[in-house]
Amino acid sequence: MKKTSTRLADGRELIYYDLRDDQVREAVDRRPLERTVTTSEIRRDPLLGDSVAVASHRQGRTYHPPADECPLCPSRNGRLSEIPDSSYDVVVFENRFPSLAGDSGRCEVVCFTSDHDASFADLTEEQAALVLEAWTDRTSELSHLPSVEQVFCFENRGAEIGVTLGHPHGQIYAYPFTTPRTALMLRSLAAHKEATGGENLFDAVVEREGAGERVVLEGEHWVAFVPYAAHWPYEVHLYPRRRVPDLLALDEAARTEFPKVYLELLRRFDRIFDGRDGKEGGGEPPTPYISAWHQAPFGGLEEFDGVNRDDFALHLELFTIRRTSGKLKFLAGSESGMSVFINDVPPERAAERLREVAS
């Protein structure tokens, strides 16, 4: 992998990640952009104890542009985009409309491929491995920013999820606090450790689920399963068999196997509802999903008694809001009002279906 860092016309950082070591990146951003001004602010809820990012400048962000005006495609044929070069393998750049900025953290965009019509599932294993390298590198770099406590790499796919740009891409949020969902895991981890005299809760979950009826697929170094209490109609958790706190700690064997396992998992998601390509006529549109990496915070663990970073288990959670063909799972009263999920698809049936659609 070759990494080349440059600056866009408004001062934002852009980084090329290339498969070839001899690739030269000298293209200059020729757009007349003014320096980005953000209004991001973190406000803490005194009743729930969580935080909300207020970012009014995001109201003006790019919204469903036509394909020939996509800002994530390379700059070609006189049309200038967020990526100055005429081609790329993987690109990461600071979001022009960030939810978090300055002392409130940082937001980045990750472009998986220059092919506008592709998806992550269409990547080769070599391309997917490069994305993993980019996620790992950005996790390392962002963790050293003084305002950052947790790094979150994720992908939103599909209009139903709320994606406003159709180009295959993900995002990275660098939070100045430990997120509420991670805090819940850490509290459960601490309580289990105390109650059992030191047993790791993540290890116990992976051992139980990795030998049960909800396993979807497994490799030598990774295992994917539908959790016992899945919140979403089709939800899969992917764990490395050797517990590590973050992407940086993955060994070479796990890194090598990850692309094959993850690509197969994504392709199965695309086949859950009998086909991924709605453009061919009559088929179900591509499965909308959220893919989210859970990594240990880089600070702020003092409030979780007896827990350190190495107790946390890196894992990826992949889920779709589609519950059956043509129907979505909406977060209504119980879910949105009280955070009590009601799942329409039994986890055992979801796992069975995901095994049925194997390549």
Side-chain angles (χ1 to χ4, degrees):
M1 179 194 79
K2 182 179 180 182
K3 175 184 174 182
T4 307
S5 180
T6 184
R7 292 282 172 179
L8 296 174
D10 55 8
R12 289 176 294 131
E13 185 178 19
L14 179 143
I15 306 160
Y16 295 96
Y17 293 89
D18 286 299
L19 292 168
R20 289 174 43 188
D21 290 337
D22 61 349
Q23 183 68 60
V24 177
R25 299 294 184 184
E26 297 179 338
V28 176
D29 185 5
R30 295 184 284 109
R31 296 173 298 170
L33 296 180
E34 296 182 359
R35 187 164 292 273
T36 300
V37 177
T38 64
T39 58
S40 181
E41 175 188 0
I42 300 296
R43 297 187 180 184
R44 188 165 179 81
D45 186 320
L47 295 180
L48 297 179
D50 59 10
S51 299
V52 175
V54 179
S56 59
H57 62 277
R58 284 176 55 78
Q59 285 281 38
R61 66 188 185 273
T62 308
Y63 187 80
H64 292 302
D68 60 358
E69 296 179 16
C70 174
L72 306 185
C73 287
S75 294
R76 291 173 180 164
N77 303 320
R79 192 185 72 81
L80 305 178
S81 73
E82 288 279 67
I83 296 89
D85 217 323
S86 59
S87 66
Y88 64 85
D89 292 334
V90 173
V91 164
V92 177
F93 61 88
E94 289 184 74
N95 198 323
R96 190 178 179 187
F97 304 97
S99 301
L100 309 167
D103 292 339
S104 298
R106 175 157 157 153
C107 292
E108 298 182 341
V109 177
V110 184
C111 298
F112 303 138
T113 171
S114 60
D115 185 350
H116 181 86
D117 297 318
S119 70
F120 200 117
D122 295 323
L123 301 182
T124 65
E125 290 185 20
E126 185 180 34
Q127 289 174 309
L130 184 62
V131 176
L132 177 61
E133 288 299 314
W135 283 331
T136 304
D137 181 69
R138 296 316 301 154
T139 296
S140 176
E141 293 291 329
L142 293 171
S143 71
H144 290 97
L145 296 180
S147 63
V148 172
E149 191 166 295
Q150 185 173 3
V151 179
F152 175 46
C153 307
F154 65 100
E155 180 192 2
N156 298 327
R157 204 278 285 269
E160 299 96 326
I161 295 293
V163 174
T164 57
L165 296 175
H167 196 103
H169 73 288
Q171 300 181 65
I172 302 175
Y173 277 22
Y175 298 101
F177 51 79
T178 296
T179 60
R181 188 171 176 85
T182 302
L184 286 174
M185 293 183 194
L186 291 168
R187 292 190 187 101
S188 296
L189 185 63
H192 185 85
K193 189 174 185 178
E194 182 179 4
T196 60
E199 182 182 63
N200 184 281
L201 179 58
F202 285 110
D203 290 350
V205 168
V206 173
E207 182 179 1
R208 182 183 70 240
E209 296 284 19
E213 62 180 323
R214 288 179 295 278
V215 171
V216 173
L217 63 87
E218 53 188 328
E220 183 179 354
H221 304 284
W222 295 85
V223 61
F225 55 83
V226 178
Y228 172 74
H231 290 57
W232 300 93
Y234 291 90
E235 174 182 341
V236 175
H237 293 190
L238 177 63
Y239 279 79
R241 293 188 182 276
R242 183 178 71 87
R243 171 167 44 91
V244 294
D246 53 38
L247 290 166
L248 286 78
L250 285 174
D251 60 26
E252 194 58 36
R255 290 183 181 281
T256 299
E257 187 180 70
F258 171 78
K260 180 178 181 180
V261 173
Y262 185 50
L263 289 172
E264 171 62 16
L265 195 56
L266 291 180
R267 290 161 186 167
R268 291 190 192 190
F269 256 63
D270 278 337
R271 290 192 290 269
I272 296 174
F273 306 104
D274 299 319
R276 68 169 291 272
D277 196 348
K279 295 177 292 186
E280 296 299 328
E284 187 74 21
T287 301
Y289 65 72
I290 293 175
S291 178
W293 279 110
H294 292 262
Q295 305 191 79
F298 289 93
L301 291 172
E302 299 80 8
E303 64 179 288
F304 308 102
D305 292 339
V307 170
N308 56 56
R309 288 196 80 248
D310 289 336
D311 290 325
F312 194 87
L314 168 76
H315 62 284
L316 182 143
E317 297 185 6
L318 173 69
F319 61 88
T320 179
I321 61 171
R322 187 178 290 164
R323 56 188 175 88
T324 189
S325 183
K327 297 179 181 178
L328 301 181
K329 166 65 179 177
F330 292 102
L331 300 189
S334 185
E335 291 89 353
S336 295
M338 283 296 169
S339 295
V340 178
F341 276 68
I342 300 169
N343 192 349
D344 305 288
V345 180
E348 293 74 21
R349 174 53 190 148
E352 181 182 20
R353 177 60 181 155
L354 285 163
R355 290 193 298 269
E356 290 174 351
V357 295
S359 296

